[in-house]
Amino acid sequence: MKNTALKVLLVMTIISSIFLCLLLGLLLKKGSGSGENVSKLKEFQDRYDERNTDTKTIAPKVYEDFSETESLEALYDTGRHTEVYERIEALKRDGSYTKDNPLVVYNPYGVNAHSAYVYFKTETPVCVTYRVSVQAENIPTFAAKCCTDGGYATEHEYLLIGLTAAQTNRISMVLEDAEGNASVRTFYVTAGERFGIGKEVLEVTKSVGESALSDGLFVHFGNVTGNKEAIQLYDNDGVLRSEFPLLEGSGKRLLFYRDNLYFNCSDTQIAALDAFGRARRVYTIEGYTIGKDYCLDEEKEKLLVLASKKPEEGKTPSVDDILLAVDLVSGEVTELVDMGVVLKEYKEICKTNEDGVLDWLGLNSVQLCNNTGVLLGAREPSAAFKIKDIYGIPMLEYTIGESLMFEGTGYEDTLLTKTDDFEAFVGANTFTCVKEELMPSGVYELYLYDNHVAGTDSRPELAYSEMAEDLGSSLKKGTVSYFCRYLVNETARTWELLETVPLDYSGYYGSAQVTEDGHLITVTAGRFAYSEFDAERNLIRKYTAAGPEHLGRVFKYDFEGVFFGNEETAEPVEEQTENK
């Protein structure tokens, strides 16, 4: 009888553990720190902590001096980063770090005031989730799953993000094995001041009947303040959770390749950071300034970078009209395309602005297109140009845009034909090519942010009112902007309007992004606001930031494999035994 009771108790314990693990998996949204799910996650974890006998508050030594630098210029110095790396490796070799005594380094490389590095080993393979909380009532708990190859491991090395700057942060790590046995270790880290000057918590407007937001962090680019510039990462609650300081200028986008994160850390440098914030390499672009966009050519292992050539003395500056290639292996920088050569006759009819600068093209987007060239999006002529043979002799293959813009220029025959009488975009940003798996050869989708703004310094004589209705006249003076999606058929030389979504107006700047689950992210630059819409284009949530000029772009990234683990449950790894 006694044995039977013990067996029943054992079965009930196992079932309870499995249920708790499944519930944790359902509640956890990687890196979301957001809304109802994280609230439920925190409530669940707190209850779990109370029931779990293996719960401890520990007090590991927190190293805080690793990120000290003599100057801003040294922030991304690879030599300094190597020294920090070697110091961490020495500590790992000399110490015996466990879940009760982990190695903890606050902001180890100095590029993320919202982070803490942790390292420790466990006797059995476990997966690790964590949550970060502070006493401030307006800052909810941030919860995430750590990034680990294979899911379960005995050696653990992570960069925990989501800390609140200038606050004492309570960090709780939940270590769970494949059988559902878990332990909780809690410790405290006091974070330093953040680098940027944007809002810590944004104003958030929720819609009625809200759909679920997509996973990930919203990343702000181009919030030019004239002070300390930074690429800033906000969660779904509108709380600042991470940032990357910039030496100058503004960020354009993030690129992910071979476990590294790429972004321009200045107007002439692109940094490659690993998952712990270490600058593995910094590419310097001499003789040019980085333009408004870049993309990755994985096959060639090159970054394709829009740029402006630094003007020769006594010559009129011509800006935003060059495409460069940066070799990720050698670091060599090559000028691939000078659009002033490709569109020579068009450039000749354009005028300089009041500063004496020839801003005739305004390239703001570069995309690999159909594996046969690149698509370059341009603000001034409200057009996209397909350029082929970029590594050989670049040639214009076709143009997507309004015919009135090109009358009498000699480029009328390069225009693709509209399949219907729809209004073309007038002033546009973030041109994005999408090639679906089942699409025929030569067919792809193109989407963009249509600023819907009239007038340019380069072509003031044009009658923009004949191109479209309700055009704006400046950054903030206008009625409506649009998200537009088109189907491009290179073989038939046509383009077709598939979708148009009216948006709050934003002249000159703005962005549009469609996430993997079909959600739409847009930014109203002049109003410092951005929104997420569901796949049916119903507004889910709107966020309002602040700044003296504008918020150029907002993209959302899930940071899976960088900061966070994926949602799938991995098989536990086998324990390794040393050879005697």
Side-chain angles (χ1 to χ4, degrees), residues 85-139:
Y85 170 78
E86 291 174 349
R87 186 178 172 188
I88 291 174
E89 289 299 303
L91 288 171
K92 288 164 60 178
R93 288 192 303 270
D94 297 341
S96 179
Y97 298 103
T98 67
K99 64 183 180 181
D100 292 325
N101 182 37
L103 171 61
V104 181
V105 182
Y106 168 69
N107 188 16
Y109 296 98
V111 298
N112 193 337
H114 305 262
S115 69
Y117 166 92
V118 295
Y119 173 83
F120 59 94
K121 292 182 178 180
T122 52
E123 294 181 358
T124 58
V126 297
C127 66
V128 180
T129 61
Y130 71 97
R131 63 189 188 274
V132 183
S133 59
V134 294
Q135 289 187 342
E137 293 183 358
N138 64 332
I139 298 179

Side-chain angles (χ1 to χ4, degrees), residues 318-559:
S318 181
V319 298
D320 290 330
D321 54 4
I322 301 292
L323 178 65
L324 305 175
V326 180
D327 192 293
L328 295 178
V329 178
S330 68
E332 181 182 4
V333 178
T334 306
E335 183 178 307
L336 296 181
V337 182
D338 182 347
M339 289 298 287
V341 175
V342 175
L343 298 175
K344 182 176 181 295
E345 290 79 8
Y346 185 89
K347 181 179 179 180
E348 288 175 349
I349 67 173
C350 293
K351 297 175 175 58
T352 59
N353 61 26
E354 60 183 13
D355 296 322
V357 176
L358 187 57
D359 187 4
W360 65 283
L361 194 58
L363 292 180
N364 58 38
S365 308
V366 54
Q367 293 272 295
L368 286 175
C369 184
N370 250 352
N371 298 318
T372 58
V374 295
L375 195 76
L376 302 179
R379 180 197 69 250
E380 289 289 301
S382 298
F385 302 97
K386 171 72 179 296
I387 309 297
K388 61 182 180 181
D389 197 16
I390 60 172
Y391 297 107
I393 302 176
M395 296 181 64
L396 176 62
E397 185 174 343
Y398 58 78
T399 304
I400 301 173
E402 176 55 57
S403 59
L404 288 173
M405 188 70 73
F406 293 91
E407 280 187 0
T409 65
Y411 295 94
E412 296 90 339
D413 292 342
T414 70
L415 286 162
L416 298 189
T417 302
K418 296 179 184 178
T419 60
D420 200 355
D421 186 24
F422 55 84
E423 286 187 352
F425 49 89
V426 185
N429 277 274
T430 55
F431 296 72
T432 304
C433 298
V434 179
K435 178 69 175 180
E436 300 290 350
E437 187 176 351
L438 298 180
M439 285 182 176
S441 175
V443 176
Y444 64 92
E445 286 189 6
L446 170 67
Y447 69 78
L448 53 85
Y449 185 95
D450 174 10
N451 299 93
H452 221 59
V453 59
T456 63
D457 291 332
S458 61
R459 300 286 305 280
E461 80 284 359
L462 290 174
Y464 289 89
S465 60
E466 296 181 16
M467 301 180 196
E469 298 179 351
D470 299 324
L471 294 176
S473 58
S474 67
L475 175 63
K476 299 181 180 181
K477 292 182 179 180
T479 304
V480 63
S481 295
Y482 294 95
F483 165 75
C484 298
R485 186 166 60 92
Y486 305 95
L487 185 70
V488 179
N489 189 322
E490 295 179 320
T491 304
R493 295 186 65 81
T494 59
W495 58 306
E496 173 186 353
L497 179 63
L498 298 178
E499 179 185 12
T500 179
V501 179
L503 305 168
D504 291 338
Y505 174 79
S506 177
Y508 309 137
Y509 304 100
S511 65
Q513 175 197 18
V514 178
T515 65
E516 288 187 2
D517 52 6
H519 286 204
L520 173 64
I521 315 293
T522 66
V523 60
T524 306
R527 300 180 186 180
F528 291 91
Y530 60 94
S531 302
E532 179 168 343
F533 301 82
D534 65 20
E536 285 71 44
R537 305 304 180 238
N538 300 305
L539 178 66
I540 304 175
R541 201 170 290 187
K542 180 179 179 179
Y543 304 83
T544 303
E549 293 188 22
H550 61 269
L551 177 60
R553 292 177 168 184
V554 174
F555 297 130
K556 198 171 194 180
Y557 304 97
D558 62 18
F559 292 94

Side-chain angles (χ1 to χ4, degrees), residues 190-316:
T190 299
E193 298 290 338
R194 59 195 177 97
F195 188 87
I197 62 173
K199 281 185 174 182
E200 186 87 47
V201 181
L202 305 181
E203 179 185 334
V204 179
T205 305
K206 300 180 181 180
S207 67
V208 178
E210 178 181 341
S211 302
L213 291 158
S214 58
D215 290 338
L217 297 171
F218 295 101
V219 184
H220 294 195
F221 302 94
N223 191 353
V224 180
T225 64
N227 200 319
K228 292 181 177 180
E229 313 297 347
I231 296 171
Q232 297 183 310
L233 286 61
Y234 288 81
D235 68 12
N236 283 344
D237 281 315
V239 178
L240 181 64
R241 295 301 186 181
S242 190
E243 62 181 354
F244 302 114
L246 301 177
L247 306 181
E248 62 178 349
S250 61
K252 319 303 177 187
R253 69 168 67 239
L254 303 181
L255 298 175
F256 304 86
Y257 182 60
R258 292 190 174 179
D259 300 325
N260 285 334
L261 176 66
Y262 294 83
F263 61 90
N264 65 299
C265 59
S266 77
D267 288 336
T268 58
Q269 294 174 302
I270 294 177
L273 268 59
D274 66 16
F276 306 106
R278 178 188 174 191
R280 305 303 298 267
R281 190 161 186 176
V282 176
Y283 302 89
T284 300
I285 300 174
E286 297 180 350
Y288 302 86
T289 56
I290 295 172
K292 295 180 173 61
D293 203 10
Y294 35 78
C295 71
L296 176 66
D297 186 343
E298 292 191 25
E299 182 179 343
K300 300 287 187 181
E301 288 194 290
K302 297 179 187 293
L303 292 175
L304 302 180
V305 183
L306 298 182
S308 299
K309 186 180 292 186
K310 292 184 178 178
E312 298 178 18
E313 188 175 349
K315 290 192 174 182
T316 300

